[in-house]
Amino acid sequence: MDLIREDSFILVYRDRRRKWLVRPVDTPKLHTHLGILDCASLVGKPFGIVTATTMNDTLYVLKPTLEDIVMKFARRTQVIYPKDLAMIIMRCGIHSGSRVFEAGTGSGAATATFAYMVGPQGHVYSYDVNTEFQDVARKNLEKFGLIDAVTLKAKDAKEGIEETELDTALVDMGDPWELVANVKKALAPSGVMAAICPTANQAERLTERMKEEGFVNVETIEVLVRNLEARVGMTRPSQFMIGHTCYVTFGRKTE
Amino acid sequence: MDLIREDSFILVYRDRRRKWLVRPVDTPKLHTHLGILDCASLVGKPFGIVTATTMNDTLYVLKPTLEDIVMKFARRTQVIYPKDLAMIIMRCGIHSGSRVFEAGTGSGAATATFAYMVGPQGHVYSYDVNTEFQDVARKNLEKFGLIDAVTLKAKDAKEGIEETELDTALVDMGDPWELVANVKKALAPSGVMAAICPTANQAERLTERMKEEGFVNVETIEVLVRNLEARVGMTRPSQFMIGHTCYVTFGRKTE
Amino acid sequence: MDLIREDSFILVYRDRRRKWLVRPVDTPKLHTHLGILDCASLVGKPFGIVTATTMNDTLYVLKPTLEDIVMKFARRTQVIYPKDLAMIIMRCGIHSGSRVFEAGTGSGAATATFAYMVGPQGHVYSYDVNTEFQDVARKNLEKFGLIDAVTLKAKDAKEGIEETELDTALVDMGDPWELVANVKKALAPSGVMAAICPTANQAERLTERMKEEGFVNVETIEVLVRNLEARVGMTRPSQFMIGHTCYVTFGRKTE
Amino acid sequence: MDLIREDSFILVYRDRRRKWLVRPVDTPKLHTHLGILDCASLVGKPFGIVTATTMNDTLYVLKPTLEDIVMKFARRTQVIYPKDLAMIIMRCGIHSGSRVFEAGTGSGAATATFAYMVGPQGHVYSYDVNTEFQDVARKNLEKFGLIDAVTLKAKDAKEGIEETELDTALVDMGDPWELVANVKKALAPSGVMAAICPTANQAERLTERMKEEGFVNVETIEVLVRNLEARVGMTRPSQFMIGHTCYVTFGRKTE
């Protein structure tokens, strides 16, 4: 059984809006407006326990899921949303052993997700010219124990991609069409390219370029997630939902 | 580089609506209304090549992605859609090494997806009382080389789940609330339960039961995916979309 | 040409988030954080003019549309959203000359909309037991010059509807199923009933009851409206959207 | 009470997918695969009656609603969908007495809807260069008794709009930006322009042009309607929905 260690991330959960992702080593005492939680005293205990603050408010100590981790990366830069990452993983088939390339490390949220999925047999290569972003991403990847599966390079993918025979490439840059030729070279035969396109114009221009380069099954999707508030006799969809994050464009390389 | 073998699945792709998932060993000649493709002659060649039928119609020979495989399982029974599987993988964090339980093997589409994600370090346990379904699922899992990561049991999960310390459990049965207590026992501390609920009433009843059993962060979502037809100067969303497949309810176990 | 009068409502518009619906008679000087607008000086001028505040900020003086008016009613109570009212008008065919019944005056937003649509040849009958709500609604209807087309009754429609041969009835109460028999009596042959159902449970129960009472073509819909931020080279859907207001259930009376 | 006449349109309704819009004068006997309905014998009876075919299949005789009529126009050309028309009526405030202009008569579905809404005090002016379309639209408008409120002109609105002081103008042409200046002249001060834009590119280009011409509150929306299948204990959204018909762009004229 998985026990809480000093450097384990724990999700202290009260409800959907009040939750904290901390480590006992950094945050021995978690101060909330509901009282103080003695995180240090949780070390050695199992995840999933029900505890209380000094003001006797009930809190749940959970093991963070991938989504908790991804949302934690969302600090300084735009983060790719879990709903979009989910479809990228599924469509590209990123899994145990995959070799994944990423242009635009950004916050590192996608990097971390891919590192989590590919495990020790796979690897993630992530380029970004912004070294400040990469330093933040590196620190986060280290903290979450994901750095071994990742190589971060302070490089512009437009000037070339050093890796080859990659299973998947994700492009998260403002001008993804500029990367298509390089991505094609770097991908293994029949490899899948995905790109984040906030606007319809980007998707339009990228699609045209990908078709020119011989990508097939070029498709653009948008993903909408709506919560259902399920309560006995009063079930209704959530009043609020996110209307748009980005389009995601996919294509498969042919010779 | 990955070369096509006699028993490799290949996706013969023409366009979004015309594609075939076959193996040279089963289908040495693929007969289509666009002419015949000599699949046997593809053995030893790389994926991603562009070829032609006897009627000189261009076809692309692709390596199947996870989505191609999942859709192939959709024969006799209802299949869980890729969009919903994607969110389950993301929210539950199913990845290299995960131990996953499934109640309701059905077509085996989810089973295959999870087997694909967890890789050799993980494992998937899938129960179904319908042995006919399981035989079909087993055969498919064998063909796609995923059976080693899966244990299929002809059992009713309502009578007990033999495994323990599982990371995730997916329930795909008409009365998921009947499984909640058993799933709780089988999950590792802080493990995530997910359930497929085609109706709002199922989500409502399940949610109540999960909260009673101490699950927290109980949420129900629905996922909508819409295609964007990206064409220069004529970009518009797809006229057709799937309005509903199912709700998915998630919760995390606490003690 | 329509000129601004002392008691005309004018929409002072700056942008989507900053707009004011006022009358010169009530608000001769409109104080905003962008400066003061001399509304009194607008009397006698045409709608559509471009003017400026004392701080030289540009403002547009528009004639309020139906939507501006509806949103103005949204003060004390829940308002039926324009998107839902739009579908009710269309599906029920509320138009010049219609005789419309409403159970639940509420804020009067729907009452005002229907009064606006039916014109001098038609009429709207609206019942509510909450006289406080009706007083507010009456005052608003008077201000907007719509009261002549409306009869407000401080009555509970469950105890009977005095009108007959109505073209359409809208029910906006928590237990719409209790009204079905009375509405049936009040409607003209083949008349259309519509009901606001915030939850799926309400729609479910109402649907059953309507079918029992011989209503046909009983359908429940939800309407989602998403904005497209159309900007040259940067067109994308709006990040925020309303996920749910209510379901609307419709049915047609048969003998 | 409204009785069925020889030339009344009646909606013979069996279920959502089987319904017929006919007149006794044209169709004295309605032949269906469920048997024959003697429509001639319905003359003089009230709407809403329950009747039967020669094969004893139950049918309902309904008075057509606006939506039934609109869908009937959808024969030869693309029709603007009721959901989009509903939002146009609401946002533009088309009602008893409105003076409405339309560029692109097309099938006449929007023309008929507006004629229905504005009643005897209002009027609809509709231009189309395609006289074949207009002849079909005219015949339909006559049949439904809506022609008196409509003036059809075989003219290209790009060459000028003869009417002025219009409350609303709807543009349903492939290049709506070419009409903006003419529409501006024809609209009354603060009048509302709406335009049908199937693609995002059209909305983008039109928006830019409208802003240049001094329109304010320029907004583009899309409307999604999803059915809820409300059945006791089995309530779920409809599996099928329309993903996209068109964007609708709105703006208000200023000087």
Side-chain angles (χ1 to χ4, degrees), chain C residues 84-94 114 170 196 248 250:
Chain C
D84 301 312
L85 282 171
M87 287 304 293
I88 291 167
I89 289 163
M90 187 74 200
R91 284 239 167 166
C92 298
I94 296 170
F114 298 156
L170 173 67
I196 301 297
V248 191
F250 296 94

Side-chain angles (χ1 to χ4, degrees), chain C residues 47-48 50 63 67-68 91 94-95 116-117 121 189-190 204 220 222 224 226 228 233 235 252 255, chain D residues 47-48 50 63 67-68 91 94-95 116-117 121 189-190 204 219-220 222 224 226 228 233 235 252 255:
Chain C
F47 284 100
V50 184
K63 194 172 170 178
E67 251 196 283
D68 298 324
R91 284 239 167 166
I94 296 170
H95 70 138
Y116 187 90
M117 303 310 294
Q121 277 88 28
S190 195
E204 184 178 308
T220 299
E222 59 176 332
L224 291 164
R226 189 167 64 161
L228 184 78
T235 295
R252 310 198 203 183
E255 51 174 10
Chain D
F47 283 100
V50 184
K63 194 172 170 179
E67 249 197 284
D68 299 325
R91 285 238 167 166
I94 295 171
H95 71 137
Y116 186 91
M117 302 311 293
Q121 276 88 28
S190 195
E204 183 177 309
E219 278 189 34
T220 299
E222 60 175 331
L224 291 164
R226 188 167 67 160
L228 184 77
T235 295
R252 311 198 203 184
E255 51 174 12

Side-chain angles (χ1 to χ4, degrees), chain B residues 24-45:
Chain B
V25 67
D26 305 322
T27 314
K29 303 276 182 196
L30 175 66
H31 291 256
T32 81
H33 62 293
L34 307 158
I36 300 165
L37 177 68
D38 185 350
C39 295
S41 73
L42 298 171
V43 175
K45 292 191 180 157

Side-chain angles (χ1 to χ4, degrees), chain B residues 200-201 222 226 235 239 241 243, chain D residues 200-201 222 226 235 239 243:
Chain B
N201 309 76
E222 59 176 333
R226 189 167 65 160
T235 294
Q239 264 187 283
M241 71 181 282
Chain D
N201 309 77
E222 60 175 331
R226 188 167 67 160
T235 295
Q239 263 187 283

Side-chain angles (χ1 to χ4, degrees), chain C residues 1 11 13 16 46-50 60 62-63 65-68 70 82-83 85-87 89-91 93-96 113 116-121 165 189-190 192 200 203-204 207-208 216-217 219-228 230-233 235 247 252-255, chain D residues 1 11 13 16 46-50 60 62-63 65-68 70 82-83 85-87 89-91 93-96 113 116-121 165 189-190 192 200 203-204 207-208 216-217 219-228 230-233 235 247 252-255:
Chain C
M1 195 194 288
L11 184 81
Y13 183 89
R16 216 185 298 175
F47 284 100
I49 57 172
V50 184
Y60 304 93
L62 302 174
K63 194 172 170 178
T65 62
L66 178 53
E67 251 196 283
D68 298 324
V70 169
K83 69 181 179 67
L85 282 171
M87 287 304 293
I89 289 163
M90 187 74 200
R91 284 239 167 166
I94 296 170
H95 70 138
S96 175
T113 302
Y116 187 90
M117 303 310 294
V118 303
Q121 277 88 28
E165 292 291 313
S190 195
V192 185
E204 184 178 308
T207 296
E208 193 192 15
V216 296
N217 196 17
E219 278 189 34
T220 299
I221 62 163
E222 59 176 332
V223 182
L224 291 164
V225 172
R226 189 167 64 161
N227 275 55
L228 184 78
R231 274 188 298 269
V232 176
T235 295
Y247 298 105
R252 310 198 203 183
K253 170 182 168 175
T254 64
E255 51 174 10
Chain D
M1 195 192 289
L11 185 81
Y13 182 89
R16 217 185 297 175
F47 283 100
I49 57 172
V50 184
Y60 305 94
L62 302 174
K63 194 172 170 179
T65 63
L66 177 53
E67 249 197 284
D68 299 325
V70 169
K83 68 180 180 67
L85 282 171
M87 287 304 293
I89 289 164
M90 187 76 201
R91 285 238 167 166
I94 295 171
H95 71 137
S96 176
T113 302
Y116 186 91
M117 302 311 293
V118 303
Q121 276 88 28
E165 292 291 314
S190 195
V192 186
E204 183 177 309
T207 296
E208 193 192 16
V216 297
N217 195 17
E219 278 189 34
T220 299
I221 62 164
E222 60 175 331
V223 183
L224 291 164
V225 172
R226 188 167 67 160
N227 275 56
L228 184 77
R231 273 188 298 268
V232 176
T235 295
Y247 298 105
R252 311 198 203 184
K253 169 182 167 175
T254 64
E255 51 174 12

Side-chain angles (χ1 to χ4, degrees), chain B residues 43 62-64 69 82 99-100 107 111 132 158 175 180 188 193 195 205 216 220 225 231 237 251:
Chain B
V43 175
L62 302 174
K63 194 171 169 178
I69 294 170
R99 296 182 70 243
V100 180
S107 65
T111 328
E132 201 190 331
K158 282 179 215 163
D175 48 1
V180 176
M193 173 175 167
R205 192 159 167 192
V216 297
T220 299
V225 172
R231 274 188 298 267

